[in-house]
Amino acid sequence: MEEPSQDRREIAFLHSGEFLRGDSSSKVHQPNESPVEDHHEPSIKEVDFFAAKSQPYDLSHDELNLVNSRLETSSDDGDDKTKTQIHRLKLELERLHEENHKLKHLLDEISESYNDLQRKVLLARQTQVEGLHKQHESIALEDRRAMEMNNETPATTLKRLSPDDVDDRDLHRGSPKTPRLDQSKSTTNHGEQQNPHDQLPFRKARVSVRARSDATTVNDGCQWRKYGQKMAKGNPCPRAYYRCTMAVGCPVRKQVQRCAEDTTILTTTYEGNHNHPLPPSATAMAATTSAAAAMLLSGSTTSNLHQTLSSPSATSSSSFYHNFPYTSTIATLSASAPFPTITLDLTNPPRPLQPPPLLLSQYVPAAFLPNASQIRSINNNPHLLLPNLFGPQAPSRDMVDTVRAAIAMDPNFTAALAAAISNIIGGDKENNNNNDNNKVDEKSGGSSNGDSPQLPQSCTTFSTN
DNA sequence: CGCATTTGACCAGCGC
DNA sequence: GCGCTGGTCAAATGCG
């Protein structure tokens, strides 16, 4: 107990510069001093000024004694007082610096610890998801091996089994930077064989906007380059394919097609997320895709959804189609396998009543949410505020108001969302059995239906993959 | 001349 | 296994 105070005294003495004067008297009698004795010395009052100014803890006692003894031995030396004060302040300054340094170090450690914990949490989540991936992959791999043992040479087998098989195919196809959507539907849909950025099963978001427009495309603030045009089955209007040219390698695509029944309705489908900064005029639409991706990502971390989306049954083109009463529904959530789909209708006339902004999650019954903890991110995602989905440019403000009003007032939206999410969770084919009336069908169902070739008559489709 | 668009060909998945 | 369909590529073409 005595040792620390003695050391402190010695340090204080050294800092005070006493030793330089060769006056050993103070130092000599210090060890004999006790704190109790110190308080009895009348000279404390003289140095109390210093102590009160900058000494918050008990170090002051010994140091004050030290100063007092010095003052006593050096009688009324004013210079000594000043020097002592200066040294005293220096000492305090150093101590504060050290304390500050320690606090900074502590803060760094805490921050690092926090980040480390965060990383571990994310890693744990990812591991959980990948575990499910690998379950499916191992099954698929075994099937593939069996097929390859029968049909292919060892060289091709080796190549097929290599982790780069998807990329290789892309290279052979001449599109290394833009993996095709087909691949996500095909045997590679498990995704873990692709590069890390593409490993997420829902690396792209698809947002399809149906709106009345006379223009060939909707001005969404991005730069697009047309790379193809096809005649889609059941629709006399050709479908145009665009890719984002704002950055090299941006994976975002969009498809533009007019509705067969009403050529004034333009369907614009966005896929993927931009990998580059966007101009303000484009951030709204990008926020839409991000929101869709975020929603899907939230659901993807749940095993049910993940299994559903990566399971072979889910990849069949008919396993996710639902009955949406789109004739009166502005926004629905659907899925054309393996893409869950939200459907919005921006073609209806705006309703007079305009309720306040609504969170999408407010209309999802809790029982239908894939995972309460995961879906919380949706609730906290301001991008899912539907009125924020579109910017000032396109679609028009009326459309936004239409969406807002209709979603708030249309009970079918709740039912549609519930049906869609429950399908996502369940992922069973039985979900498709009795929903032929108002099926949202982009592929099989719709392709065979001349009335609704690609998208329902009055729906805007948000889908993600 | 450079860039964007057009258009036929190609590829892969899926259903029959 | 074959044909259909959707999606993409890339050479040809058009435009400023």
Side-chain angles (χ1 to χ4, degrees):
Chain A
M1 290 297 285
E2 240 182 24
E3 283 290 324
S5 66
Q6 186 171 336
D7 292 343
R8 219 179 288 159
R9 270 200 303 268
E10 289 174 359
I11 292 171
F13 172 74
L14 292 173
H15 278 276
S16 69
E18 291 289 343
F19 67 99
L20 293 176
R21 296 190 184 88
D23 186 359
S24 60
S25 61
S26 63
K27 190 177 181 180
V28 166
H29 79 272
Q30 275 176 33
N32 300 329
E33 292 173 354
S34 69
V36 176
E37 290 170 352
D38 293 341
H39 287 292
H40 292 314
E41 298 200 9
S43 55
I44 289 179
K45 292 175 182 175
E46 297 179 26
V47 294
D48 200 30
F49 168 75
F50 306 118
K53 202 170 186 178
S54 59
Q55 187 53 270
Y57 58 93
D58 60 357
L59 177 68
S60 61
H61 290 300
D62 295 330
E63 291 183 341
L64 289 177
N65 291 334
L66 184 65
V67 174
N68 285 341
S69 1
R70 176 60 198 139
L71 289 175
E72 284 176 16
T73 54
S74 59
S75 69
D76 53 353
D77 190 353
D79 286 345
D80 259 5
K81 270 189 180 177
T82 310
K83 285 179 182 176
T84 304
Q85 183 179 354
I86 292 173
H87 287 303
R88 172 76 187 182
L89 291 174
K90 280 182 180 177
L91 182 70
E92 270 310 297
L93 201 61
E94 287 177 9
R95 189 185 59 77
L96 291 174
H97 274 305
E98 191 180 353
E99 210 170 275
N100 191 25
H101 183 72
K102 284 178 181 175
L103 286 173
K104 278 183 180 176
H105 187 66
L106 196 64
L107 186 64
D108 287 343
E109 283 183 348
I110 291 173
S111 298
E112 193 176 344
S113 175
Y114 172 77
N115 289 333
D116 193 43
L117 273 174
Q118 209 169 27
R119 278 194 299 270
K120 285 178 181 174
V121 169
L122 290 174
L123 198 65
R125 281 182 177 180
Q126 189 176 357
T127 306
Q128 193 178 7
V129 171
E130 283 177 355
L132 293 166
H133 269 304
K134 285 177 181 174
Q135 285 181 2
H136 295 292
E137 184 197 17
S138 59
I139 296 172
L141 207 59
E142 286 177 8
D143 292 344
R144 204 190 299 172
R145 273 183 179 145
M147 291 175 63
E148 287 164 352
M149 291 289 284
N150 293 332
N151 303 329
E152 298 187 3
T153 65
T156 57
T157 302
L158 191 65
K159 184 189 172 188
R160 281 275 201 106
L161 294 176
S162 75
D164 300 329
D165 60 343
V166 174
D167 291 339
D168 284 348
R169 241 186 306 169
D170 281 339
L171 285 173
H172 293 323
R173 299 201 69 254
S175 60
K177 58 187 178 183
T178 56
R180 300 178 56 175
L181 287 175
D182 295 343
Q183 293 169 352
S184 61
K185 303 176 193 172
S186 65
T187 55
T188 62
N189 64 347
H190 305 300
E192 61 278 354
Q193 292 182 347
Q194 302 179 9
N195 69 59
H197 291 295
D198 294 341
Q199 281 185 0
L200 287 174
F202 319 113
R203 62 185 183 278
K204 285 184 180 179
R206 176 180 282 190
V207 178
S208 190
V209 177
R210 280 172 65 91
R212 294 188 185 279
S213 173
D214 292 332
T216 54
T217 64
V218 175
N219 180 16
D220 48 28
C222 282
Q223 294 176 352
W224 304 95
R225 175 174 181 154
K226 190 176 182 179
Y227 66 89
Q229 181 168 307
K230 290 283 287 186
M231 293 300 297
K233 186 180 179 183
N235 192 335
C237 304
R239 177 186 301 167
Y241 299 89
Y242 297 84
R243 72 162 53 98
C244 177
T245 60
M246 294 192 75
V248 179
C250 180
V252 177
R253 301 276 199 275
K254 82 169 178 182
Q255 302 173 7
V256 179
Q257 187 173 33
R258 293 203 170 274
C259 183
E261 291 80 7
D262 188 350
T263 57
T264 64
I265 297 176
L266 196 66
T267 302
T268 307
T269 303
Y270 299 87
E271 294 175 3
N273 294 311
H274 295 279
N275 61 355
H276 53 83
L278 291 169
S281 57
T283 53
M285 191 59 75
T288 303
T289 59
S290 297
M295 181 192 307
L296 188 55
L297 194 62
S298 298
S300 75
T301 56
T302 65
S303 59
N304 280 341
L305 177 62
H306 185 76
Q307 286 173 335
T308 298
L309 294 178
S310 57
S311 66
S313 63
T315 58
S316 67
S317 60
S318 61
S319 59
F320 274 105
Y321 295 152
H322 320 287
N323 54 332
F324 293 131
Y326 54 80
T327 53
S328 61
T329 299
I330 286 284
T332 60
L333 211 167
S334 176
S336 59
F339 320 121
T341 303
I342 300 172
T343 301
L344 289 174
D345 182 6
L346 304 184
T347 61
N348 284 349
R351 302 192 185 193
L353 183 61
Q354 295 186 5
L358 298 160
L359 274 174
L360 187 62
S361 56
Q362 288 179 277
Y363 287 83
V364 180
F368 293 101
L369 296 178
N371 181 314
S373 62
Q374 298 300 332
I375 210 72
R376 218 170 282 134
S377 64
I378 301 176
N379 298 358
N380 296 330
N381 188 348
H383 289 158
L384 286 181
L385 276 169
L386 287 178
N388 291 340
L389 292 179
F390 307 104
Q393 288 207 355
S396 68
R397 188 71 197 170
D398 285 345
M399 292 178 181
V400 175
D401 293 337
T402 301
V403 175
R404 182 190 301 176
I407 287 175
M409 300 182 65
D410 194 342
N412 288 330
F413 177 66
T414 304
L417 268 183
I421 294 175
S422 64
N423 269 2
I424 291 171
I425 296 173
D428 295 329
K429 287 186 176 180
E430 61 196 29
N431 291 334
N432 317 314
N433 289 345
N434 53 358
N435 50 9
D436 297 331
N437 294 338
N438 300 303
K439 188 178 291 182
V440 177
D441 193 339
E442 289 188 48
K443 283 189 172 182
S444 63
S447 60
S448 60
N449 180 6
D451 297 335
S452 181
Q454 298 298 325
L455 289 165
Q457 170 70 21
S458 56
C459 292
T460 295
T461 301
F462 283 68
S463 76
T464 50
N465 64 346

